[in-house]
mmCIF file of all heavy atoms in Angstrom:
data_model
loop_
_atom_site.group_PDB
_atom_site.id
_atom_site.type_symbol
_atom_site.label_atom_id
_atom_site.label_comp_id
_atom_site.label_asym_id
_atom_site.label_seq_id
_atom_site.Cartn_x
_atom_site.Cartn_y
_atom_site.Cartn_z
ATOM 1 N N GLY K 83 -8.611 7.702 -1.502
ATOM 2 C CA GLY K 83 -8.698 6.582 -0.573
ATOM 3 C C GLY K 83 -7.383 6.166 0.039
ATOM 4 O O GLY K 83 -7.283 5.079 0.596
ATOM 5 N N THR K 84 -6.350 7.010 -0.023
ATOM 6 C CA THR K 84 -5.045 6.630 0.506
ATOM 7 C C THR K 84 -4.652 7.376 1.770
ATOM 8 O O THR K 84 -3.604 7.075 2.341
ATOM 9 C CB THR K 84 -3.943 6.852 -0.544
ATOM 10 O OG1 THR K 84 -3.886 8.240 -0.875
ATOM 11 C CG2 THR K 84 -4.193 6.031 -1.795
ATOM 12 N N ALA K 85 -5.452 8.326 2.219
ATOM 13 C CA ALA K 85 -5.068 9.119 3.387
ATOM 14 C C ALA K 85 -6.282 9.482 4.225
ATOM 15 O O ALA K 85 -7.409 9.529 3.730
ATOM 16 C CB ALA K 85 -4.356 10.395 2.939
ATOM 17 N N LEU K 86 -6.023 9.744 5.506
ATOM 18 C CA LEU K 86 -7.037 10.293 6.396
ATOM 19 C C LEU K 86 -6.782 11.787 6.491
ATOM 20 O O LEU K 86 -5.645 12.221 6.662
ATOM 21 C CB LEU K 86 -6.937 9.656 7.782
ATOM 22 C CG LEU K 86 -7.132 8.148 7.848
ATOM 23 C CD1 LEU K 86 -7.061 7.677 9.293
ATOM 24 C CD2 LEU K 86 -8.441 7.738 7.209
ATOM 25 N N CYS K 87 -7.840 12.570 6.361
ATOM 26 C CA CYS K 87 -7.699 14.021 6.300
ATOM 27 C C CYS K 87 -8.603 14.694 7.330
ATOM 28 O O CYS K 87 -9.704 14.214 7.610
ATOM 29 C CB CYS K 87 -8.069 14.528 4.914
ATOM 30 S SG CYS K 87 -7.141 13.759 3.575
ATOM 31 N N HIS K 88 -8.113 15.812 7.855
ATOM 32 C CA HIS K 88 -8.906 16.674 8.720
ATOM 33 C C HIS K 88 -8.672 18.095 8.232
ATOM 34 O O HIS K 88 -7.573 18.641 8.376
ATOM 35 C CB HIS K 88 -8.482 16.533 10.178
ATOM 36 C CG HIS K 88 -9.412 17.219 11.121
ATOM 37 N ND1 HIS K 88 -9.485 18.583 11.237
ATOM 38 C CD2 HIS K 88 -10.329 16.710 11.981
ATOM 39 C CE1 HIS K 88 -10.391 18.897 12.136
ATOM 40 N NE2 HIS K 88 -10.923 17.779 12.598
ATOM 41 N N GLU K 89 -9.692 18.672 7.628
ATOM 42 C CA GLU K 89 -9.545 19.984 6.999
ATOM 43 C C GLU K 89 -9.269 21.091 8.011
ATOM 44 O O GLU K 89 -8.435 21.960 7.790
ATOM 45 C CB GLU K 89 -10.787 20.314 6.180
ATOM 46 C CG GLU K 89 -10.546 21.404 5.183
ATOM 47 C CD GLU K 89 -11.651 21.490 4.156
ATOM 48 O OE1 GLU K 89 -12.078 20.438 3.663
ATOM 49 O OE2 GLU K 89 -12.076 22.609 3.868
ATOM 50 N N GLY K 90 -9.928 21.066 9.147
ATOM 51 C CA GLY K 90 -9.762 22.108 10.149
ATOM 52 C C GLY K 90 -8.362 22.152 10.749
ATOM 53 O O GLY K 90 -7.865 23.208 11.115
ATOM 54 N N LYS K 91 -7.719 21.022 10.858
ATOM 55 C CA LYS K 91 -6.371 20.964 11.422
ATOM 56 C C LYS K 91 -5.306 20.863 10.334
ATOM 57 O O LYS K 91 -4.123 20.701 10.649
ATOM 58 C CB LYS K 91 -6.254 19.770 12.364
ATOM 59 C CG LYS K 91 -7.101 19.924 13.612
ATOM 60 C CD LYS K 91 -6.772 18.841 14.605
ATOM 61 C CE LYS K 91 -7.562 18.998 15.864
ATOM 62 N NZ LYS K 91 -6.933 19.894 16.822
ATOM 63 N N ASP K 92 -5.718 20.933 9.074
ATOM 64 C CA ASP K 92 -4.807 20.829 7.931
ATOM 65 C C ASP K 92 -3.915 19.593 8.067
ATOM 66 O O ASP K 92 -2.702 19.664 8.011
ATOM 67 C CB ASP K 92 -3.958 22.092 7.790
ATOM 68 C CG ASP K 92 -3.236 22.138 6.441
ATOM 69 O OD1 ASP K 92 -3.764 21.578 5.468
ATOM 70 O OD2 ASP K 92 -2.143 22.718 6.376
ATOM 71 N N LEU K 93 -4.571 18.444 8.288
ATOM 72 C CA LEU K 93 -3.872 17.189 8.531
ATOM 73 C C LEU K 93 -4.184 16.192 7.432
ATOM 74 O O LEU K 93 -5.350 16.006 7.072
ATOM 75 C CB LEU K 93 -4.301 16.615 9.890
ATOM 76 C CG LEU K 93 -3.736 15.253 10.266
ATOM 77 C CD1 LEU K 93 -2.267 15.396 10.655
ATOM 78 C CD2 LEU K 93 -4.535 14.651 11.392
ATOM 79 N N GLN K 94 -3.145 15.568 6.887
ATOM 80 C CA GLN K 94 -3.283 14.473 5.941
ATOM 81 C C GLN K 94 -2.300 13.393 6.369
ATOM 82 O O GLN K 94 -1.096 13.645 6.435
ATOM 83 C CB GLN K 94 -2.955 14.892 4.495
ATOM 84 C CG GLN K 94 -3.885 15.946 3.928
ATOM 85 C CD GLN K 94 -3.447 17.349 4.253
ATOM 86 O OE1 GLN K 94 -2.270 17.628 4.396
ATOM 87 N NE2 GLN K 94 -4.404 18.251 4.401
#
Side-chain angles (χ1 to χ4, degrees):
T84 62
L86 300 182
C87 305
H88 190 288
E89 198 166 316
K91 293 190 178 274
D92 193 29
L93 176 74
Q94 297 87 30

